[in-house]
């Protein structure tokens, strides 16, 4: 009997309607957070990673550049290839962004133009050295970091070539270091 009266009683419907409305509001709020805030936070993490990698590549450039003197000894440089997205309790992240550090061949071989040897510094005839060094093509490779971000669409490709480190954007280049290969006429 009491059960029949409980089923027929309609006084508690306002509570359930309020609960459903609040649940719907919570779902809409979470969907907005997932659609707008998570991508913005991930883009900020990717931009921060791009800045970090630029600094690490400058350290790599300095290690390679100083290796020619031999005075720096053996050095290692760490380059973080992928960004670490913030951890989330409820919202899911896409797969972690990654990157690739590789060596690439130049589009054209390295050549020397308008160069001459200082004959006082060599024991062999300058003509032999000019034929071997100045008139020959030289094989070389560049170091390149290509990121794969999901939110940072205009991410640069960082490239190290002939003592110069720069970021290559679709619109142009930004030098991160000076080149030290050519100094005036030397």
């Amino acid at each position: 009997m009491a059960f029949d009266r409980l089923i027929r009683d309609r006084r508690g419907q306002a509570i359930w309607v309020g609960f459903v409305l609040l649940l719907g509001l919570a779902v809409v709020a979470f969907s907005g957070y997932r659609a707008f805030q998570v991508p913005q936070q991930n883009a900020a993490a990717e931009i921060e990673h791009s800045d970090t990698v630029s600094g690490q590549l400058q350290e790599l450039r300095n290690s390679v550049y100083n290796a020619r003197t031999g005075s720096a000894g053996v050095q290692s440089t760490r380059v973080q290839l992928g960004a670490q997205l913030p951890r989330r309790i409820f919202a899911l992240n896409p797969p972690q962004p990654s990157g690739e550090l590789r060596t690439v061949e130049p589009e054209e071989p390295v050549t020397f133009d308008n160069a001459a040897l200082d004959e006082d510094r060599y024991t062999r005839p300058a003509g032999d050295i000019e034929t071997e060094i100045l008139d020959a093509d030289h094989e070389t490779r560049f170091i390149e970091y290509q990121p794969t971000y999901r939110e940072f669409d205009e991410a640069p490709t960082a490239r190290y070539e002939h003592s110069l480190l720069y970021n290559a954007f679709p619109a142009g280049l930004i030098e991160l270091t000076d080149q030290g290969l050519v100094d005036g006429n030397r």
Side-chain angles (χ1 to χ4, degrees):
M1 263 274 201
F3 183 70
D4 288 335
R5 206 173 350 143
L6 188 62
I7 290 178
R8 283 181 279 148
D9 192 6
R10 303 285 182 224
R11 290 179 289 177
Q13 289 179 348
I15 294 172
W16 287 108
V17 169
F19 173 75
V20 169
L21 288 175
L22 286 176
L23 180 63
L25 185 60
V27 167
V28 168
F30 179 73
S31 298
Y33 171 75
R34 178 69 181 104
F36 299 106
Q37 288 296 318
V38 169
Q40 287 179 356
Q41 292 170 354
N42 289 350
E46 291 172 354
I47 290 169
E48 182 180 335
H49 174 260
S50 180
D51 292 341
T52 301
V53 166
S54 291
Q56 291 172 341
L57 289 173
Q58 287 181 25
E59 291 177 19
L60 175 65
R61 179 256 186 205
N62 293 340
S63 295
V64 172
Y65 189 72
N66 292 333
R68 65 187 171 94
T69 63
S71 62
V74 177
Q75 293 181 327
S76 64
T77 304
R78 179 178 177 263
V79 177
Q80 182 183 357
L81 297 181
Q84 296 295 318
L85 299 179
R87 296 185 187 271
R88 296 185 171 81
I89 295 174
F90 296 110
L92 297 176
N93 276 328
Q96 295 287 345
S98 62
E100 183 179 15
L101 186 66
R102 62 180 176 243
T103 61
V104 293
E105 291 185 29
E107 295 174 11
E108 297 180 21
V110 175
T111 59
F112 294 99
D113 292 329
N114 297 327
L117 296 176
D118 184 0
E119 293 183 32
D120 297 336
R121 298 180 138 200
Y122 299 98
T123 57
R124 294 177 38 208
D128 294 345
I129 297 172
E130 286 178 352
T131 303
E132 293 174 18
I133 297 175
L134 300 181
D135 296 335
D137 289 344
H138 299 278
E139 192 174 315
T140 188
R141 297 186 68 85
F142 304 146
I143 298 174
E144 181 177 85
Y145 175 71
Q146 176 67 50
T148 307
Y149 296 133
R150 291 179 178 20
E151 300 296 333
F152 184 21
D153 294 331
E154 298 294 322
T157 298
R159 199 168 213 197
Y160 171 67
E161 55 183 67
H162 308 303
S163 75
L164 176 66
L165 178 65
Y166 62 90
N167 279 337
F169 289 91
L173 307 175
I174 295 178
E175 294 179 6
L176 300 175
T177 63
D178 294 330
Q179 69 85 21
L181 187 64
V182 178
D183 183 15
N185 64 356
R186 296 190 62 123

